[in-house]
Amino acid sequence: MPPCSATRPACTWRGTGTQRSTHILPRALQCGRRGRGPVMAQSSKIEWTQATWNPITGCTKVSPGCAHCYAETMAERWRGISGHPFEYGFDLQLRPNRLKLPLLWKRPKLIFVNSMSDLFHENVPDAFVVKVFETMREASWHTFQVLTKRTERARDLTRKLAELDPWPDNVWMGTSIENQRWVQRADSLREIPAKIRFISCEPLLGPLRLNLHGIHWVICGGESGARARRMDPSWVRDLRDQCVAAGVPFFFKQWGAFDENGRRVGKKRAGRILDGQIFDEMPRLV
DNA sequence: GATGTGCTCCAAACTACGCA
DNA sequence: TGCGTAGTTTGGAGCACATC
């Protein structure tokens, strides 16, 4: 019997690996234990990265793009399960025991930092951010992708950090922009001296007119999940055309829960083909 | 032999869909 | 209409196999 169930919310998470479920997961969801010691998601289903690293988990909402946050949904389902990594749900948690994890991964990877949080959340102490940067600098064989909605704090804090050390070449910096209301995040991002600056327009909730000066990569995708909001295909095409015109690599991650014709078919079936093409472009190193 | 990699399975809660 | 099944989400666990 599974140790955890809806009728026994306070039971202990044991993760025996021998439990059985009626749920069948797609192959692409699978990820693996890698050797010994503490582990994290060394393989990720996120299309534009290879692995995730979460030295912090949990976050709070700042804009409409957060409304149906998958990370929150995932984390909250484990709240109260003693011993589980998300025992405290989506409450902000610093995880110092994970700080050195990328140093254990010997093969170079593209690592999404804090897929389950925001490194520049107001409740993350400056000193902890510094420690995250120390690891990223030390693990120079990896490439780290930091994504935040709090670009003003990121800019201010990185200015302070720059007084100690220059921005590491292997750390990309990005921000999420879901509609025109939040395009000013790109202005703060432009002031951060990362070698690669990128914008993630996911979930894309409205038409966007972006200033792509100083931006090296744009990711776009529709919302998935049960309560997903539909992305109008014209918004995607317009964004792609802006990137083509500006010479900025464009990555179309997914249609989301709705296909190109507005039918709810699920993320998998909706796919990621735009006008007969898969846009997989990655930033050119500058 | 030690370490790294690939594969499989599991967890909860919800929605969509197919079928009787 | 109601029921059962599939799908969605990522992190963590075990095991087998590959590589050094």
Side-chain angles (χ1 to χ4, degrees), chain A residues 125-198:
Chain A
D126 290 2
F128 198 84
V129 177
V130 169
K131 286 179 180 173
V132 171
F133 268 79
E134 282 173 357
T135 294
M136 295 193 289
R137 188 173 284 110
E138 195 176 345
S140 58
W141 59 93
H142 294 310
T143 300
F144 294 91
Q145 300 164 306
V146 180
L147 184 63
T148 184
K149 285 188 172 77
R150 296 158 173 88
T151 47
E152 291 188 4
R153 186 183 178 210
R155 176 200 57 200
D156 296 344
L157 189 51
T158 53
R159 274 180 186 159
K160 286 185 199 171
L161 291 174
E163 293 170 9
L164 304 172
D165 288 297
W167 185 278
D169 281 352
N170 63 323
V171 178
W172 300 0
M173 187 70 217
T175 189
S176 299
I177 299 176
E178 64 267 43
N179 60 29
Q180 198 65 32
R181 163 73 178 79
W182 302 97
V183 286
Q184 83 280 2
R185 287 177 185 150
D187 296 330
S188 314
L189 177 65
R190 255 183 290 277
E191 295 180 52
I192 296 173
K195 200 169 185 178
I196 298 293
R197 290 181 290 268
F198 65 99

Side-chain angles (χ1 to χ4, degrees), chain A residues 79-139:
Chain A
R79 184 182 287 278
I81 297 178
S82 176
H84 190 277
F86 291 108
E87 178 181 357
Y88 302 103
F90 207 47
D91 298 350
L92 193 89
Q93 301 269 301
L94 307 182
R95 300 184 180 270
N97 61 319
R98 297 179 178 180
L99 273 170
K100 297 297 180 185
L101 213 48
L103 299 172
L104 303 176
W105 304 339
K106 303 304 178 189
R107 180 175 291 189
K109 287 178 183 297
L110 200 53
I111 300 170
F112 179 16
V113 180
N114 282 328
S115 63
M116 300 293 285
S117 184
D118 187 331
L119 179 61
F120 295 100
H121 188 280
E122 53 273 19
N123 292 341
V124 178
D126 290 2
F128 198 84
V129 177
V130 169
K131 286 179 180 173
V132 171
F133 268 79
E134 282 173 357
T135 294
M136 295 193 289
R137 188 173 284 110
E138 195 176 345

Side-chain angles (χ1 to χ4, degrees), chain A residues 33 42 44 58 62 113 155 159 184 186 231 253 277:
Chain A
R33 178 186 168 87
Q42 267 203 73
S44 170
V62 292
V113 180
R155 176 200 57 200
R159 274 180 186 159
Q184 83 280 2
M231 175 177 67
K253 181 172 175 277
Q277 191 177 344

Side-chain angles (χ1 to χ4, degrees), chain A residues 201-234:
Chain A
C201 306
E202 188 195 8
L204 184 59
L205 299 179
L208 265 181
R209 181 58 51 179
L210 292 175
N211 173 6
L212 292 172
H213 173 71
I215 302 299
H216 307 99
W217 191 29
V218 171
I219 301 162
C220 172
E223 193 167 43
S224 58
R227 292 178 295 163
R229 293 158 283 186
R230 183 174 174 255
M231 175 177 67
D232 192 307
S234 68

Side-chain angles (χ1 to χ4, degrees), chain A residues 17-59:
Chain A
T18 58
Q19 299 150 7
R20 291 290 179 273
S21 166
T22 56
H23 298 273
I24 298 169
L25 295 185
R27 257 178 91 87
L29 283 181
Q30 299 155 6
C31 56
R33 178 186 168 87
R34 308 285 182 259
R36 292 156 179 78
V39 292
M40 287 292 287
Q42 267 203 73
S43 60
S44 170
K45 198 199 171 189
I46 300 170
E47 288 82 351
W48 48 267
T49 195
Q50 294 174 330
T52 56
W53 170 44
N54 289 286
I56 303 160
T57 56
C59 198

